[in-house]
Amino acid sequence: MSTAMGSLILRTAARFLLPLLLLFSVFVLLRGHDEPGGGFIAGLVGAVGFALYMFAFDAARTKTLLVIPPVVMVGVGLFAATASGILPVFVNLPFFTALWWPVELPGFGEVKFSTPLIFDIGVYLVVLGSVMKIVLALAEAEE
Amino acid sequence: MLLAVLSGFILAALAPWLTRSLQDKAGWVLALLPAGLFVYFLSWVPVVVAEGAQVVAYPWIPGLDISLTMLVDGLSLLFALLISGIGTFIIIYAGGYLHGHEYLPRFYAIMFSFMAAMLGVVLSNNLITLFVFWELTSITSYLLIGFHHEEKESRWYALQGLIVTVGGGLALLAGLIMLALAGGSFELHEILASEELRDYGFYAGMVILILLGTFTKSAQVPFHFWLPNAMAAPTPVSAFLHSATMVKAGVYLMARLNPGIGGTELWLYALGIFGALTMFTGSFMALRSTGLKAVLAYTTVMALGTLTMLIGIGTEQAIIAAMTFLLAHALYKAALFMLAGALDHETGTKDITRLGGLRQLMPITFITACVAALSLAGLPPLFGFIAKELMFEATLQAPLISTFTTVLAVVSAIMIVAMAAVFSLRPFLGPLKETPKKPHEAPLSMLIGPVVLAGLSLVFGLAGFLPATALVGPAVAAVHGAPLDFDLYLWHGINLPLMLSVLAVVAGLLLFWQWDRVLAVYRRMTFIDRFGPERGYEKLMDGLVWLAAWQTRLLQNGYMRNYLLTIVLTTVGLTGWTFFVHTGSSAPLGTIEFAVHEIVVAGLVVLGAIVASVTSSRLGAVATLGMVGFGIALLYVFFSAPDLGTTQIMVETLTVILLVLVLFRLPAFQNLSSAAARLRDAVVALSLGGLMTLLILAVNAVEVTDRISDQLVAWSYPEAHGRNIVNVILVDFRALDTLGEIFVVGLAAIGVYAMIRLRAEDRKK
């Protein structure tokens, strides 16, 4: 497919677009609690970025770029999401009680670390991992 | 107390590692845990004797008022002592029996899990906890029966035991929930204190469901067949699970519930008759068995039937007899099983007819076997004699079914005497017979258990006051619901039970003398194998496979269009039916006001859908479907749901990418479906669309006064520190739902991957 689809324009664009889209996806993930966004959308944005890159180049290259295998990503995500629910149990609160640790960062304002944030990161990883797994599998079957 | 139950699970996790590092001494060292537990439970005996039942509670989910409670009374202590006491010897024994076996570490891990689960069953005060532990014993039993998993037979019998007991477990779960509803609590001590259980509207249904669970677990007729088959397990397992402990879980539960739901005619008939039949079947089948373990397995079936029958009879006499018999049986049966294993281990065969003349080569085994078998046969001065006398007394005094139970009890006793003699004399007397291995006495680890347990049978027989005050007395108090004053002793005077005992012994010895002829008679009775309940089980399994194949051919036929058709038609049928039945055609339909731009977008969506379904170009279909998707995303934005809108756009983009990936592989569009099929599809599609439209209009007409969304909006910032309500709901308010969803997403990805890979590999071949 790389020869059929990979035009020079697309390749150049993909090189620039991928980091931008990834950055955007993290941005969408982190702002999600107050503004439109969240782990699910952010995961999809990230997946679109990688899918675009895959069109421009090929599946193998995308895989190396991902570093972490998609299935591992899904596993880590599920673990993080589950762990964020179990965490409050250790401080004698019911399962899935949200814990908040607001931190004042100099020059950046207040940052709200919390178990919902960990949970949302878990969702992000699961969505990104799952979509990439499917897209890569299809592309590889193609080749 | 909680640690006492959980320690078994903890040790189970460590057992493989410990077994490897301790090598030969593993059995002796690991046995320290059950031995310690035994001492711990023993320390509870004075407390229970002096102060009665104790409830130990650990707070679990205090917010919902759920706590983990354990009930310590005579009954649970008797069982706990048997489990930990016999367990100690079994663990030591297994070290010798499976010496050097490559799966020994695994064996100990499962064995300790089982022990912990069994302690959980008998100590749980909460019905749900009890049920969870109950199922755990079934699962560990499955793993242990199938221990020799390379053998097809082991696997088959393991599955058989699992299906029978877990099938019964399902019924039990329903029964226990009904019990909790009837008693107004899930806590046993509260349920049993309730006086209204017997007047519960569904009393009969509840009892039958509970009995289905206990009968399957405790191998009552007609479910008894799995137990002898479970002898495929290594002998330590048979000795522990399938004679002394697990199979008695059903008996335990019946005894436990007796003060609450027992004492009715249904209880008497169900337990009395099935118990007596099981007792008879067990001894009848034992008499025809020639395998050492098969004989013991069927006598175990006999004992379980006897216990069930006695609990069913439910008189004071019967309860005393049941608890005495329980203790006596556990002592002699565990000993006999371990001896059977020793014989098998040292000679290489389990066939009684191929054993003989071992008295000089295996003297300790011989003497111990005689003592234990005397208790099995119910002869003085063993504890088994007291138990049997009490049993006869109880059946003679039984209400309504006295003749039936007494006759069966005597007939069974005769056959058991014969088999006790066969078991303890045939392998040891007469000329020495050729065996696969050169026989010699078993090692200490395999003899200590039987010797101690058989010794206890003798001590308890001679000094009946010991078990009467410490073990049987408190247990009887728990099963009867109130303490009873009684004593256990050998000599009751010349009375009817004694005469029946004498009759049983004389007739039994005659049978033993003529055993070879008896076997010849049995051989002609082939109907037992052809029409037994096990054939029923096999037919049922075949039927299940057939049904699964049939419904798979029907439903999972591999055509996407058929799946869609099924899903849509089911939805339309069920939803439409509910809608029209509950609201009739009189449902008020609300009206919706449109803005112009909404109508334009909606029109585009509809147009896209129509074009997509009539176009003859693939690319056209993809593009128009995209139009539908983006139109819907736009609608979301109009109705101020930017999150949904963005998600929809992302999903659309990805869908297009995925479609493009597969598009090249597909052949050109062809018109394959007939006009009639298309008409059918159109009708189905329109009916779903029509139904959804109707539903939305109807929902719109309903005035909701207190919307949950208002509440969520109000909570969002102060409670969850988030202004994006959609996200707050996803990650905080309903995080558990989201967790379930992302698990589904992950599983779906793995499923899709597996399908693609399988297809790719198929093509390679």
Side-chain angles (χ1 to χ4, degrees), chain B residues 104 114 127 136 140 170 175 187 256 308 344 366 371 452 457 515 616 682 696 707 761:
Chain B
L104 187 62
F114 164 75
L127 287 180
L136 270 178
T140 42
L170 276 180
E187 305 295 313
R256 169 60 75 211
T308 306
D344 173 24
F366 175 46
V371 175
V452 172
S457 292
W515 189 51
S616 58
I696 289 169
R707 284 169 186 269
E761 272 165 27

Side-chain angles (χ1 to χ4, degrees), chain A residues 1 5 32-41 44-45 47-48 51-52 54-55 71 74 77-78 81-82 95-96 98 100 112 116 119-120 122-123 126-127 129-131 133-135 137-139 141-142, chain B residues 61 642-644 646-647 650-651 653-654 656-658 660-662 664-665 717 719-725 727-728 730-732 734-736 738-739 742-743 745-750 752-753 756 760 763:
Chain A
M1 193 195 303
M5 300 280 297
H33 215 58
D34 286 330
E35 309 291 330
F40 203 87
I41 305 173
L44 288 175
V45 171
V48 168
L52 185 73
M54 196 189 72
F55 268 98
V71 175
V74 173
L78 289 178
T82 316
F95 189 52
F96 264 126
W100 292 85
K112 292 187 285 185
F119 184 85
D120 223 9
V123 174
V126 171
V127 172
S130 298
V131 174
K133 184 83 216 167
I134 298 173
V135 172
L138 277 173
E142 183 74 15
Chain B
I61 312 178
D643 280 295
L644 266 179
T646 331
T647 313
M650 289 300 140
V651 170
T653 315
L654 276 168
V656 170
I657 290 175
L658 291 177
V660 170
L661 275 175
V662 293
F664 296 102
R665 310 163 59 110
Y717 196 72
E719 295 281 330
H721 310 288
R723 275 188 294 274
N724 178 4
I725 302 144
N727 190 260
V728 167
L730 279 175
V731 301
D732 197 340
R734 313 228 32 138
L736 195 60
T738 313
L739 185 69
I742 56 175
F743 266 96
V745 169
L747 281 176
I750 292 169
V752 170
Y753 174 70
I756 297 170
R763 201 158 304 130

Side-chain angles (χ1 to χ4, degrees), chain B residues 309-331:
Chain B
M309 174 187 80
L310 288 173
I311 294 169
I313 292 172
T315 57
E316 296 180 0
Q317 270 306 322
I319 300 298
I320 297 170
M323 291 302 110
T324 313
F325 193 89
L326 178 82
L327 178 60
H329 174 257
L331 292 178

Side-chain angles (χ1 to χ4, degrees), chain B residues 203 211 329:
Chain B
Y203 173 80
L211 290 186
H329 174 257

